[in-house]
Amino acid sequence: MSGMILLQNTAWLPEAASSIAPEVDSLFHFWTLVSAIIFVGVVGAMTFFVVRYRRRRRDEVPEPVKEKKVVELAWIVVPTILVLIVFAWGFRVYIKMYTAPPDAYEILVHGYQWYWEFEYPNGVKTTNELHVPAGQPVKLRMTSADVIHSFYVPAFRVKQDVLPDRYSSLWFEATKPGEYTVFCTEYCGTQHSGMLARVIVHPREEFEQWLESAGIPEDMPLAELGARLYREKACFSCHSIDGSPSVGPTFKGLYGHEVELEDGSTVIADENYLRESILQPGAKIVKGYPNVMPASYASLSEREVAALIEFIKQQQ
Amino acid sequence: MATQTIAAQKTAQSEINYLNHARGLKSWLLTLDHKRIGILYLISVVFFFIVGGILALLIRAELFEPGQTLMTADTYNHIFTLHGAIMIFLFLIPAVPAVLGNFALPIMIGAKDVAFPRLNLASWYIFWLGALTMLVGIVTSGLDTGWTFYTPYSTMTSSGVTWVVLGIFILGFSSILTGLNFIVTVHKMRAPGLTWSRLPLFVWGLYATSIVQILATPVLGITLLLLALERILKIGIFDPALGGDPILFQHFFWFYSHPAVYIMILPAFGVISELIGTFSRKGIFGYKFVALSSVAIAFLGFLVWGHHMFVSGQSATAATVFSLLTFLIGVPTGVKVLNWVASLYRGSIWLRTPLLYALAFLFVFPIGGFTGIALGTLGLDVPLHDTYFVVAHFHYVMVSGGLLAFLGGLHYWWPKMFGRLYNEKLAQIAALLIFVGFNVTFFPQFILGTQGMPRRYFDYVPEFTTLHQLSTVGSWILGLGLLLVAVCLLHSLFKGQLAPANPWGAGTLEWTHTGRLPSPHNFERTPVVTRGPYDYHLAEEIFGNGHGDGGGTPAVIPAQGQAQS
């Protein structure tokens, strides 16, 4: 037991912030301890034999050792029992992990190359920021718009692949308010490692407040709204505003300048070109860039499109 | 006068060996001799290993610091994909069977050659045809899907997926033909007296491997062909946009690729058994268990593919069944390790380079095994899946099984392949560097993985920096060790001391019944086998009083070997 406590204090595992995490960790510690003991035994015996039975004469031939069936049987039976314990324990944890309580708060998750979009029951949408209440089961219903992604929160010890044209789901109950990293763990192309998001766990009562105020105010100035959309819709994951090259053309100095297209023709990047490129990304591809922008931006409202154009205009 | 002539003839005869009986490039490229084909494979896989290794060093160098340092994200994605694809398809799968197996298997069973020598040569040409097809795709448009080619990404990306999968499809034939050849050879060409219970364990390992190669490889071939058709004709099997199912691809893919792990590991198990038997001069404890469990693992290996998919969206019932089956295959594998360690008990242990590699294997492989148990456990796999924990795990399994066993076997059979000894001290230093470098590279990755670092990441959050840097430094030590192996073996090739016929005092036929270098047809007359491969106390020929065809060469432990303390 003291060994288990010792292991609990190591920095191997990240912070545990969900109701399932401590159960996963106990199993992990049990496995570590058993493995370590057997490993030390095996390597210890090997080292001892190598030292103890070093060859002394070049023509030395050892006496054959009579094989004891009991020994062989013992080391078949004992490991079998051990792995069955680990299996059963892992099975129990898994079933809990994948059985969402019926009263779970449901949030819709869309995976895109290369960002996450979250939709709450009242219609509020956020990008790359998942807001949840602490101490309440949350169920994510997830689907992808393009390739397979995988939603992973290390602090919650949960992970689930997110597939195109199909729902998969995941649930957790966050125990501590705070911010936790979300990684995409299924390789999804160029910006796979940039597809990061955060889970923001609010105290339960504050979550309601957040949800109320999360809608975009009507009177927000266009440029400010554009800046917010640039962040929230994850435009930044492909379009820089400092001129550095990325998956898509930079927004810096884009507006009003001539752009060379894939077919060799040129076009002035005016308001109409920007509008077309946001709503129909494949219509006029800039030379040297892949046609990979998701069509999902077509669902932006008129005001949002105008706001984004205003934001791009300002990046001179 | 007459006796002198006979003596002279004998000397001349003993000097004709498989390396010098025919000369020139043509005699190599058209050779039907399994030993020469083994050498051809050796040159080929070492070439690809060097390419894959350089890519690995680039990956680690890019990850030395967070952010973009050496290359863009796209380049990085291409490089890690190529590292994986090259190492698996062009190194790990062919290395032990096609190089060491081709060279040693027929001699070990007392045969003149494999059953189908022409097919054997054809396998090598098919290997290169496949490899070149792959390279065409890589050079013209790269490959950025990861070696697993998961759909629908692989059906959408503009990189050279079609060429590469076609290349792997062709490579598959090489693998199948080698497997077929070995199975027939083992069944039909064993020397008189060489019963199944007297087969060297390396032969058992190759036999089990061959079964997997023949049964699993066609599934990969068909899967990849479907993938290519999906890309070209858009037939809608895997791509959900066309009504296909991406999970189906994963089932097909792992149905081959999990058994493929055993294609890499089972021959390695065989090599380890030979090394431990020879250098401890002991029978392998539980010979029958070790032999038959290889075959059992080969078959059970087909039933566990779903453990790669616990978080993919397959049903919980399927996940549970796959988890349980995974443990059932884990036990015999673990028991083998215990058998090897027990074989050292009361042995006569001679610490030479090949045994060092075997001991390194006995250290490294259990870590791969235990972490495999963690990944097979439903509740633990969920957080660990697709993180660096998995990366570390499969490197512990495949590098120990593939690389350490290959290097151990190469150092072991080297004197028989080229008739020369290498500098023992240098070789031991190299082995030590490889052992240390390997662990420094990959052990920190277990910790990275448990902390949540996902795999296939070009960039990472700053918390992970220290462990990544440690891992990168480890890769330099590992690289240095491998470089030293190359220096040591190349030096031996030109300047090495001439080897006696049986420098290790081994008990299998390739050592006891051939000369310094085997003759073109291995044996002057077919040997008759009267004992098991590790029955040293029955083997007079090992100690110089034998009547084997080894030219009566007494097994002299070379000068370097006399300092045994």
Side-chain angles (χ1 to χ4, degrees):
Chain A
M1 242 2 243
S2 61
M4 300 273 278
I5 291 159
L6 196 78
L7 283 166
Q8 228 114 36
N9 294 331
T10 60
W12 279 47
L13 292 166
E15 182 186 6
S18 75
S19 59
I20 197 80
E23 300 198 31
V24 176
D25 293 1
S26 303
L27 175 54
F28 186 81
H29 291 133
F30 175 75
W31 163 81
T32 311
L33 196 67
V34 171
S35 304
I37 291 170
I38 299 175
F39 180 72
V40 168
V42 167
V43 173
M46 175 185 97
T47 314
F48 175 75
F49 293 159
V50 169
V51 175
R52 171 72 181 72
Y53 302 112
R54 290 290 285 276
R55 189 173 297 178
R56 290 182 175 76
R57 285 175 300 113
R58 78 169 71 141
D59 56 351
E60 179 181 80
V61 179
E63 283 299 306
V65 175
K66 198 166 186 308
E67 295 184 4
K68 286 210 177 69
K69 283 278 172 291
V70 186
V71 179
E72 236 180 316
L73 209 65
W75 72 37
I76 292 174
V77 172
V78 173
T80 307
I81 293 170
L82 280 173
V83 297
L84 287 178
I85 292 172
V86 173
F87 162 75
W89 193 339
F91 173 69
R92 276 189 50 196
V93 175
Y94 185 76
I95 293 303
K96 269 193 191 170
M97 244 175 205
Y98 281 92
T99 314
D103 59 341
Y105 182 80
E106 201 171 298
I107 299 171
L108 204 59
V109 179
H110 286 280
Y112 295 97
Q113 283 172 316
W114 292 278
Y115 62 96
W116 298 103
E117 188 182 75
F118 306 103
E119 189 174 343
Y120 303 83
N122 69 348
V124 166
K125 284 185 187 174
T126 55
T127 305
N128 283 347
E129 271 185 12
L130 172 63
H131 295 261
V132 296
Q136 185 183 343
V138 172
K139 182 180 174 183
L140 305 180
R141 190 150 55 88
M142 310 188 290
T143 184
S144 161
D146 34 57
V147 301
I148 301 176
H149 301 281
S150 190
F151 190 89
Y152 174 40
V153 189
F156 297 169
R157 314 282 189 271
V158 293
K159 178 186 290 125
Q160 176 62 48
D161 282 3
V162 179
L163 300 149
D165 205 30
R166 177 188 297 198
Y167 288 123
S168 55
S169 70
L170 181 68
W171 83 275
F172 56 83
E173 184 183 319
T175 48
K176 281 185 266 183
E179 289 192 18
Y180 306 96
T181 310
V182 180
F183 292 112
C184 172
T185 51
E186 187 64 81
Y187 174 74
C188 58
T190 310
Q191 296 287 357
H192 170 52
S193 64
M195 192 168 162
L196 301 175
R198 288 180 303 166
V199 186
I200 297 164
V201 180
H202 298 275
R204 219 162 156 168
E205 52 286 359
E206 279 176 29
F207 176 73
E208 291 301 326
Q209 284 173 16
W210 172 84
L211 199 60
E212 296 285 310
S213 63
I216 291 168
E218 291 281 314
D219 54 355
M220 187 182 260
L222 277 184
E224 202 178 306
L225 176 61
R228 180 165 161 173
L229 290 169
Y230 174 73
R231 186 163 41 84
E232 288 188 352
K233 299 291 173 192
C235 309
F236 63 85
S237 63
C238 299
H239 301 278
S240 74
I241 50 172
D242 59 0
S244 60
S246 188
V247 178
T250 180
F251 286 163
K252 188 182 167 71
L254 174 63
Y255 179 74
H257 286 82
E258 203 172 64
V259 177
E260 192 178 354
L261 300 179
E262 195 60 32
D263 59 11
S265 65
T266 57
V267 65
I268 300 289
D270 59 8
E271 278 122 335
N272 277 318
Y273 172 73
L274 291 178
R275 180 189 162 78
E276 183 184 31
S277 298
I278 292 169
L279 297 175
Q280 292 163 262
K284 289 180 185 145
I285 300 297
V286 181
K287 194 176 177 75
Y289 291 94
N291 179 14
V292 292
M293 181 158 152
S296 60
Y297 295 108
S299 66
L300 291 173
S301 73
E302 245 348 291
R303 184 153 191 273
E304 286 170 327
V305 174
L308 273 172
I309 292 172
E310 191 57 36
F311 173 74
I312 293 169
K313 266 182 169 177
Q314 288 186 347
Q315 310 304 317
Q316 291 307 321
Chain B
M1 187 65 189
T3 47
Q4 274 176 350
T5 320
I6 292 164
Q9 269 176 354
K10 256 202 137 167
T11 325
Q13 265 175 2
S14 66
E15 277 172 3
I16 292 175
N17 60 51
Y18 87 101
L19 287 177
N20 68 10
H21 79 101
R23 291 182 185 278
L25 194 60
K26 201 176 139 195
S27 78
W28 279 88
L29 293 179
L30 297 178
T31 183
L32 299 180
D33 181 347
H34 67 97
K35 300 180 287 300
R36 285 190 165 204
I37 293 170
I39 305 292
L40 291 177
Y41 267 115
L42 175 65
I43 297 164
S44 316
V45 303
V46 166
F47 169 75
F48 288 113
F49 178 72
I50 292 170
V51 176
I54 290 170
L55 295 173
L57 289 171
L58 286 173
I59 291 170
R60 287 301 339 153
E62 169 59 39
L63 293 173
F64 191 76
E65 281 182 340
Q68 180 170 335
T69 49
L70 289 178
M71 55 186 94
T72 63
D74 259 330
T75 314
Y76 179 85
N77 294 341
H78 285 276
I79 286 184
F80 84 69
T81 300
L82 296 189
H83 165 70
I86 288 176
M87 284 301 197
I88 287 177
F89 295 110
L90 300 178
F91 175 71
L92 285 168
I93 288 178
V96 177
V99 178
L100 303 176
N102 246 323
F103 183 86
L105 177 125
I107 325 182
M108 286 178 113
I109 64 168
K112 282 183 179 171
D113 207 315
V114 291
F116 309 112
R118 282 181 184 80
L119 205 60
N120 201 16
L121 181 65
S123 299
W124 182 72
Y125 278 101
I126 295 169
F127 173 82
W128 268 101
L129 183 66
L132 289 175
T133 313
M134 259 178 94
L135 291 176
V136 166
I138 288 164
V139 170
T140 53
S141 37
L143 181 69
D144 71 341
T145 60
W147 78 276
T148 52
F149 306 104
Y150 271 17
T151 55
Y153 187 76
S154 59
T155 56
M156 288 156 63
T157 175
S158 58
S159 68
V161 173
T162 310
W163 279 98
V164 175
V165 298
L166 205 65
I168 295 170
F169 181 77
I170 296 169
L171 280 174
F173 284 98
S174 170
S175 196
I176 292 169
L177 293 178
T178 302
L180 192 73
N181 219 337
F182 283 0
I183 287 182
V184 177
T185 307
V186 172
H187 270 275
K188 305 302 279 186
M189 300 180 71
R190 282 171 289 131
L194 189 57
T195 58
W196 286 91
S197 58
R198 285 177 182 168
L199 274 189
L201 285 165
F202 183 48
V203 176
W204 271 110
L206 290 170
Y207 181 76
T209 309
S210 303
I211 296 172
V212 186
Q213 282 178 315
I214 289 188
L215 297 182
T217 315
V219 180
L220 179 75
I222 292 162
T223 308
L224 294 180
L225 206 60
L226 286 175
L227 177 60
L229 290 175
E230 180 92 352
R231 283 177 64 86
I232 300 165
L233 304 175
K234 311 274 176 217
I235 48 180
I237 290 180
F238 302 131
D239 188 349
L242 304 166
D245 182 355
I247 304 277
L248 181 68
F249 177 84
Q250 297 181 20
H251 279 293
F252 280 172
F253 182 82
W254 289 113
F255 186 82
Y256 163 79
S257 294
H258 194 79
V261 173
Y262 298 106
I263 298 182
M264 304 169 213
I265 294 291
L266 287 171
F269 287 170
V271 173
I272 299 301
S273 296
E274 293 306 315
L275 301 184
I276 287 177
T278 297
F279 291 91
S280 64
R281 217 168 262 168
K282 271 277 303 293
I284 295 297
F285 188 97
Y287 168 93
K288 272 194 182 149
F289 180 90
V290 175
L292 294 176
S293 67
S294 283
V295 181
I297 290 169
F299 282 109
L300 282 173
F302 284 96
L303 303 177
V304 299
W305 77 89
H307 69 209
H308 294 263
M309 300 163 63
F310 290 160
V311 302
S312 71
Q314 79 177 356
S315 78
T317 314
T320 307
V321 172
F322 282 123
S323 172
L324 190 61
L325 286 167
T326 302
F327 289 129
L328 295 185
I329 200 171
V331 172
T333 314
V335 170
K336 282 184 164 211
V337 173
L338 298 173
N339 277 319
W340 286 317
V341 173
S343 306
L344 297 168
Y345 174 66
R346 298 181 73 175
S348 165
I349 293 162
W350 195 26
L351 263 188
R352 298 281 93 176
T353 311
L355 185 66
L356 282 188
Y357 282 107
L359 297 179
F361 172 90
L362 288 182
F363 182 97
V364 166
F365 185 72
I367 298 179
F370 287 126
T371 51
I373 293 287
L375 291 169
T377 305
L378 292 163
L380 288 181
D381 178 69
V382 172
L384 298 175
H385 184 77
D386 271 343
T387 67
Y388 264 62
F389 192 92
V390 176
V391 177
H393 158 72
F394 71 69
H395 279 91
Y396 264 83
V397 172
M398 289 187 209
V399 175
S400 73
L403 184 63
L404 293 180
F406 176 68
L407 287 174
L410 189 63
H411 282 83
Y412 177 59
W413 278 294
W414 188 264
K416 189 54 66 183
M417 285 177 161
F418 300 104
R420 286 173 187 274
L421 299 169
Y422 42 83
N423 183 317
E424 184 65 33
K425 205 164 253 165
L426 206 60
Q428 294 201 0
I429 293 171
L432 193 70
L433 278 175
I434 289 173
F435 176 71
V436 171
F438 171 78
N439 283 291
V440 176
T441 307
F442 293 104
F443 200 82
Q445 298 186 1
F446 283 123
I447 305 173
L448 276 172
T450 44
Q451 290 182 350
M453 169 82 204
R455 66 194 280 205
R456 295 175 169 168
Y457 263 32
F458 157 73
D459 192 7
Y460 52 87
V461 291
E463 296 96 279
F464 296 135
T465 310
T466 314
L467 288 166
H468 270 299
Q469 290 187 339
L470 192 61
S471 180
T472 303
V473 171
S475 74
W476 298 334
I477 303 173
L478 182 55
L480 193 68
L482 289 165
L483 191 67
L484 198 58
V485 169
V487 170
C488 180
L489 291 182
L490 283 175
H491 177 266
S492 141
L493 212 50
F494 300 105
K495 297 273 167 71
Q497 193 186 340
L498 289 189
N502 189 0
W504 316 122
T508 40
L509 293 176
E510 80 275 29
W511 302 104
T512 56
H513 284 68
T514 66
R516 184 175 76 92
L517 284 159
S519 60
H521 291 294
N522 301 344
F523 306 100
E524 281 168 37
R525 55 177 185 277
T526 307
V528 176
V529 181
T530 54
R531 57 180 183 83
Y534 315 107
D535 293 338
Y536 294 90
H537 53 290
L538 299 177
E540 290 179 354
E541 67 266 35
I542 299 169
F543 301 103
N545 356 320
H547 311 284
D549 288 346
T553 321
V556 178
I557 291 174
Q560 285 172 335
Q562 277 169 355
Q564 281 178 37
S565 59

